[in-house]
Amino acid sequence: MQILLLLLAAAGLCWGQYNPNTVPKRTSIVHLFEWRWQDIAEECERYLAPNGFGGVQVSPPNENIVITNPNRPWWERYQPISYKICTRSGNEEQFKDMVKRCNNVGVRIYVDAVVNHMCGAAGGSGTHSTCGSHFNAGNRDFPAVPYSGWDFNDGKCHTGSGEIERYDDIYQVRDCRLSGLLDLALEKDYVRSKVAEYMNHLIDIGVAGFRIDAAKHMWPGDIRAFLDKLHDLNTQWFSAGTKPFIYQEVIDLGGEPIKGSEYFGNGRVTEFKYGAKLGTVLRKWNGEKMAYLKNWGEGWGFVPSDRALVFVDNHDNQRGHGAGGSSILTFWDARLYKMAVGFMLAHPYGLTRVMSSYRWPRNFQNGKDVNDWVGPPSNSDGSTKAVTINPDTTCGNDWVCEHRWRQIRNMVIFRNVVDGEPFSNWWDNGSNQVAFGRGNKGFIIFNNDNWNMNVNVQTGLPAGTYCDVISGQKENNKCTGKQVFVSGDGKANFQINTDAEDPFIAIHVDAKL
């Protein structure tokens, strides 16, 4: 019996790293990319909690270099100067207020932790940083941490340039500089302790977990070493002994020696193949069809579901960076994008993250968007604009707010309703009309063919009249969009024309009249 208890205790310790620490029946998180802390606090209270969102991934909260050529790009946030909480999203007091207010309504905060590196080697010196801390990149001197030349991997990298030159060499990928960024020597206990000190400060404030940026560029054992130094979560909002949720950015599309599976011992990994493959299928490239999605998930060579964090797009690849190339669907392709996010939120595979973006002036030259660097909507002084809410609940000031699109919000609710239910009642026409259920709680059907659909299929749902949550929803016991009638045998008729605004329909038991 004692051995069993010890095994259960060990399993409990381990599981904390994979569990997002959300409140029950809140199953998706949203990345509010580049939002200000005060806007996130308000969004948690007015929108995320009432609509069942589990948590928010926030942009890196620590001090970064201020780059003025180009003018304040989004990626300056990925060039740390110190671990002070001080960025264009706000200061430490505003960060604490956000964490408290979001936790108080059951919405968790996950920090994007940039701990592989500091700023670029060409970052110069001075105080051009978001808190005004002094640094000298050339001398590897970051006194606000403090880090010195002893704390970087310059001597360990064996390329002539000091940069990663080949991705088939795991030593280069993990010991050399990524895009010129000064690579921290994470095998040193001092560096691990400084990273853990930063993360523990955030845990003590009340964050629920971390996205580990550039995890592929760190040795899994070095990540494990600083994770082992982390505190349990703040007992004001979490039960005693709760471990922070960890998900690691590991771009593994299958063509390189470094595998996402090497990082499972630390937490979940970002499954980049998910958005790349789903985009290819919905665009019908390379002869791909939605009918092939029947064994979606591990059957497509993805990591195990309980180790995966999945997304249609992220802040990198929606700009053509990162992974997936031109197959990635984004808000610029709104009709297909809503189908992709709808499919992701209905399907049981992985822990789902919804993207929430801002618009930028795209400018393609030779197939590349030369404006892919543009930072968040800003005032003339470089400060980030507030997220304003329009009368129709969309966002203003060039914030896209995909998480507020009716179709996406209602599918976040759908996923909560069907949580724990099995994948069931798959149907397809051999082409791009497919449907599936989640036990006896929900059902979704798509028409991505070039001809109209009119089919009778088994939903697995109890008999009754349901509101389609894509074209509308249930309000005051009426449907604001389409209605679906499920007969006593569980079957329903679905008609989706090719010119439908959204060529899919979703129903669930909480949207039954």
Side-chain angles (χ1 to χ4, degrees), residues 301-365:
F302 300 167
V303 302
S305 180
D306 63 355
R307 295 293 179 267
L309 181 117
V310 299
F311 44 94
V312 172
D313 62 331
N314 79 344
H315 68 280
D316 272 318
N317 63 19
Q318 70 173 196
R319 292 167 169 74
H321 296 248
S326 53
S327 74
I328 298 296
L329 289 165
T330 71
F331 68 88
W332 299 107
D333 315 286
R335 193 166 183 264
L336 284 179
Y337 184 71
K338 285 180 279 187
M339 288 176 72
V341 177
F343 183 91
M344 174 182 78
L345 291 169
H347 197 281
Y349 177 84
L351 178 71
T352 47
R353 182 182 64 198
V354 172
M355 183 66 198
S356 194
S357 319
Y358 58 81
R359 282 177 203 83
W360 69 94
R362 292 207 291 179
N363 179 8
F364 285 96
Q365 295 179 16

Side-chain angles (χ1 to χ4, degrees), residues 232-252:
D232 293 341
L233 298 188
N234 188 320
T235 53
Q236 186 175 345
W237 297 289
F238 304 94
S239 53
T242 305
K243 301 291 177 193
F245 173 45
I246 301 296
Y247 54 108
Q248 303 156 96
E249 185 202 17
V250 183
I251 300 174
D252 171 15

Side-chain angles (χ1 to χ4, degrees), residues 183-196:
D183 202 60
L184 283 165
L186 279 159
E187 82 276 8
K188 296 194 172 189
D189 192 63
Y190 174 77
V191 178
R192 293 170 175 177
S193 296
K194 283 293 167 189
V195 167

Side-chain angles (χ1 to χ4, degrees), residues 465 467 472-481 483 510-513:
T465 302
C467 299
Q473 61 232 354
K474 176 178 156 185
E475 282 177 19
N476 305 318
N477 212 36
K478 291 194 181 72
C479 298
T480 62
Q483 289 187 355
D510 284 6
K512 183 171 181 254
L513 297 183

Side-chain angles (χ1 to χ4, degrees), residues 344-412:
M344 174 182 78
L345 291 169
H347 197 281
Y349 177 84
L351 178 71
T352 47
R353 182 182 64 198
V354 172
M355 183 66 198
S356 194
S357 319
Y358 58 81
R359 282 177 203 83
W360 69 94
R362 292 207 291 179
N363 179 8
F364 285 96
Q365 295 179 16
N366 299 321
K368 184 184 185 304
D369 181 4
V370 295
N371 282 343
D372 60 6
W373 60 269
V374 173
S378 300
N379 301 304
S380 55
D381 64 356
S383 61
T384 300
K385 285 185 176 176
V387 178
T388 53
I389 307 301
N390 300 322
D392 66 356
T393 79
T394 60
C395 296
N397 270 348
D398 275 332
W399 297 97
V400 180
C401 296
E402 298 97 315
H403 69 285
R404 279 178 166 261
W405 294 3
R406 177 190 70 244
Q407 301 86 343
I408 292 176
R409 174 200 67 217
N410 284 348
M411 284 307 299
V412 166

Side-chain angles (χ1 to χ4, degrees), residues 14-22 110 208 243-246 268 351:
C14 189
W15 170 243
Q17 310 285 351
Y18 309 102
N19 180 351
N21 301 315
T22 50
Y110 312 102
K243 301 291 177 193
F245 173 45
I246 301 296
R268 291 190 186 240
L351 178 71

